Amino acid sequence: MNMEPGKQPIEFYNEQLEAHQTELKALQKKKSVFGFLRLGAVLAIILAFYLLFQLGWMYYTPITIVLAIIFVRLIHIDLDNRDKIVFTKRLIAIQEAELKCLDFNYKHNYDGVNEQPVSHYYADDMDVVGKASIFQYLNRTGSEQGEKKLANWLLYPSPLKNISERQLATEEGEKKIDWIQDWIAMGQQERIEMTMQKNLEAWIAQPYSFKNFRHWKWLRFVLPAIILTISVLTMYDHVSMSFFYL
């Protein structure tokens, strides 16, 4: 959902909030259903093994494998559903935070006090950063880099070309509020800081140790071949289980 022309922001965010709350209830119901299905799959595996064991491995093995695959698939679907629950809760929190900001209650946003320059022509007089500042009202960043970028835009003048580009980007973003909120929600998963960026850049700059060691390239083919060969030989009793475990 994106904001329709003429719609009041309070109305829009309330509709968003209601939609996400409805979605959350549906996801939580699915979570309960998946829990019962997982339990049923486990019981079915035990029951199939118990009833078919005396008939031989040719009967109980295929059924047990199929039920195990179903169980693993249910776990995968349930984990995906749980991720959606967490993500939807973040979206709900975003709508609630936006409604607070519209009521001029934005103290939950970071105030940018660490970006306060020692001396500045207008930062103190116009409350650019700090408590109850322009920065705090506008701040929707999810990283230390984003905070520094926003503070830099507010504290220092930009060329007219950059200002025009930002205005166009703002107009475009107004049409894609769902996309923006999804990015905000993803950014809340784990805050990105300057130390993380520096560590990543240092890791990328390190020399590639195995680039010139050609023998490592063969291992990606040799090791799976060895493992599959030993597994097949073990199934036909040509290799002992102790060697297989080794």
Side-chain angles (χ1 to χ4, degrees), residues 176-219:
K176 300 179 179 180
I177 296 180
D178 281 347
W179 180 81
I180 292 174
Q181 291 188 347
D182 285 347
W183 272 101
I184 294 174
M186 286 188 286
Q188 292 175 350
Q189 181 174 356
E190 184 175 354
R191 176 177 166 81
I192 300 175
E193 299 180 349
M194 294 299 297
T195 53
M196 185 184 299
Q197 178 181 337
K198 292 177 181 178
N199 291 336
L200 181 60
E201 290 174 348
W203 176 75
I204 293 175
Q206 289 179 357
Y208 186 49
S209 303
F210 303 104
K211 184 177 182 180
N212 299 320
F213 190 48
R214 297 180 179 179
H215 300 289
W216 285 103
K217 297 179 180 180
W218 289 100
L219 288 178

Side-chain angles (χ1 to χ4, degrees), residues 59-159:
Y59 291 93
Y60 70 77
T61 300
I63 296 177
T64 304
I65 291 175
V66 171
L67 291 173
I69 293 173
I70 294 174
F71 176 72
V72 172
R73 180 59 181 166
L74 286 172
I75 292 178
H76 177 76
I77 296 174
D78 185 37
L79 291 174
D80 183 60
N81 187 71
R82 294 188 181 190
D83 289 339
K84 290 180 179 178
I85 289 175
V86 174
F87 191 78
T88 304
K89 287 181 177 179
R90 292 199 194 108
L91 290 174
I92 289 174
I94 289 172
Q95 314 312 316
E96 293 173 342
E98 292 297 337
L99 289 170
K100 288 181 180 179
C101 286
L102 290 173
D103 195 33
F104 297 100
N105 180 9
Y106 49 90
K107 294 181 180 179
H108 53 278
N109 293 337
Y110 171 62
D111 58 14
V113 65
N114 293 333
E115 310 304 326
Q116 176 75 47
V118 178
S119 61
H120 197 273
Y121 291 109
Y122 57 82
D124 292 331
D125 296 333
M126 297 183 63
D127 293 328
V128 177
V129 292
K131 294 292 183 182
S133 63
I134 300 173
F135 178 96
Q136 190 173 28
Y137 184 73
L138 296 176
N139 183 26
R140 303 294 188 277
T141 61
S143 66
E144 188 177 355
Q145 293 90 329
E147 293 167 357
K148 292 183 179 297
K149 177 68 72 174
L150 177 59
N152 184 269
W153 285 1
L154 295 174
L155 290 168
Y156 304 103
S158 301

